[in-house]
């Protein structure tokens, strides 16, 4: 069997054209260097206004995005970086802290209006909110990365940070819990490492 041929078949049947598939997935990679071309608030709003439609459980939408723009805030963030993540963050035109709103349930009457009581029925306990919110904010982070790519920009997601320190530094009230730092911009010189292998369809997908 020709494995390459069978791998490509699903792409041929997609409604999205090949150029868009390349932009979002096949040619997109995590960027490690960036040019100094700025990323505007208008670009970020366009990204958010697209990806906000991605589904979350009960439409809870717990992801919060903190844009780090000032040199002072950038240095405060880099103080919590590990290894090469610090220099990368200092040179990116825009960095975002992605966090989960641990009080996301307060907005459920607005976001899930056909069942307004769900706020107290399912999410009265803080521990339950943290688990559900983290799952769904992480899901939204994936949407956000794809949205960055859709804007013609590169994303550099990083988990190599002291997130407890970030939370104390930026979210002192304890109502947000960070889990990802994302550099955003146009890729610079030698921005990408060689593409790592991916699992084949047969390795990743089964039928029962």
């Amino acid at each position: 069997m020709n494995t390459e041929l069978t791998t490509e078949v699903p792409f041929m049947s997609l409604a999205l054209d090949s150029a868009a598939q390349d932009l979002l997935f096949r040619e997109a990679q995590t960027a490690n260097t960036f040019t100094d071309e700025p990323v505007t608030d208008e670009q970020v709003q366009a990204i958010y206004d697209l990806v906000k439609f991605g589904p979350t459980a009960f439409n809870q939408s717990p992801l919060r995005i903190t844009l780090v723009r000032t040199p002072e805030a950038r240095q405060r963030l880099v103080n919590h970086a590990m290894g090469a993540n610090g220099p990368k963050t200092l040179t990116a035109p825009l960095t975002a802290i992605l966090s989960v709103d641990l009080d996301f349930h307060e907005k459920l009457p607005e976001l899930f209006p056909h069942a307004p009581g769900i706020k107290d029925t399912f999410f009265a306990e803080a521990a339950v909110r943290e688990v559900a919110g983290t799952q769904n904010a992480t899901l939204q982070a994936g949407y956000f990365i794809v949205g960055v790519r859709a804007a013609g920009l590169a994303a550099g997601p990083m988990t190599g940070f002291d997130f407890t320190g970030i939370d104390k530094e930026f979210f002192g009230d304890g109502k947000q819990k960070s889990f990802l730092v994302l550099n955003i911009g146009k890729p610079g010189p030698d921005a990408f490492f060689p593409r790592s292998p991916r699992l084949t369809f047969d390795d990743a997908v089964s039928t029962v």
Side-chain angles (χ1 to χ4, degrees), residues 118-194:
I118 205 169
K119 166 182 175 291
D120 300 312
T121 304
F122 283 179
F123 298 111
E125 296 183 15
V128 173
R129 293 199 301 275
E130 181 169 349
V131 171
T134 300
Q135 289 174 338
N136 285 276
T138 303
L139 181 63
Q140 287 186 284
Y143 303 148
F144 190 72
I145 290 169
V146 174
V148 168
R149 294 172 173 181
L153 300 169
M158 299 170 289
T159 56
F161 280 77
D162 173 11
F163 287 105
T164 299
I166 290 175
D167 293 345
K168 291 178 180 177
E169 187 81 40
F170 291 90
F171 312 122
D173 61 2
K175 294 186 177 181
Q176 291 189 51
K177 188 173 182 179
S178 59
F179 63 91
L180 189 70
V181 174
L182 187 70
N183 287 329
I184 303 170
K186 292 285 188 180
D190 301 317
F192 307 117
F193 297 139

Side-chain angles (χ1 to χ4, degrees), residues 81-87 160:
M82 300 176 186
N85 289 339

Side-chain angles (χ1 to χ4, degrees), residues 48 56-65 99-113 115-138 140 173-177 179:
Y48 179 77
T56 56
F58 302 108
N59 198 32
Q60 59 189 248
S61 306
L63 179 67
R64 301 294 178 263
I65 302 163
S99 60
V100 54
D101 181 356
L102 299 176
D103 284 342
F104 69 84
H105 66 310
E106 298 292 352
K107 294 187 178 295
L108 282 176
E110 172 189 349
L111 295 174
F112 209 64
I118 205 169
K119 166 182 175 291
D120 300 312
T121 304
F122 283 179
F123 298 111
E125 296 183 15
V128 173
R129 293 199 301 275
E130 181 169 349
V131 171
T134 300
Q135 289 174 338
N136 285 276
T138 303
Q140 287 186 284
D173 61 2
K175 294 186 177 181
Q176 291 189 51
K177 188 173 182 179
F179 63 91

Side-chain angles (χ1 to χ4, degrees), residues 40-125:
T40 67
D41 288 340
E42 289 77 14
Q43 286 174 298
V44 178
Q45 181 166 351
I47 292 166
Y48 179 77
D49 284 343
L50 175 65
V51 304
K52 68 183 181 183
F53 293 107
T56 56
F58 302 108
N59 198 32
Q60 59 189 248
S61 306
L63 179 67
R64 301 294 178 263
I65 302 163
T66 302
L67 301 180
V68 182
R69 287 203 178 276
T70 68
E72 181 267 340
R74 186 73 60 102
Q75 188 58 59
R76 288 166 55 205
L77 176 59
V78 165
N79 289 341
H80 303 286
M82 300 176 186
N85 289 339
K88 285 192 288 188
T89 301
L90 283 174
T91 57
L94 179 63
T95 301
I97 302 170
L98 274 56
S99 60
V100 54
D101 181 356
L102 299 176
D103 284 342
F104 69 84
H105 66 310
E106 298 292 352
K107 294 187 178 295
L108 282 176
E110 172 189 349
L111 295 174
F112 209 64
H114 54 286
I118 205 169
K119 166 182 175 291
D120 300 312
T121 304
F122 283 179
F123 298 111
E125 296 183 15

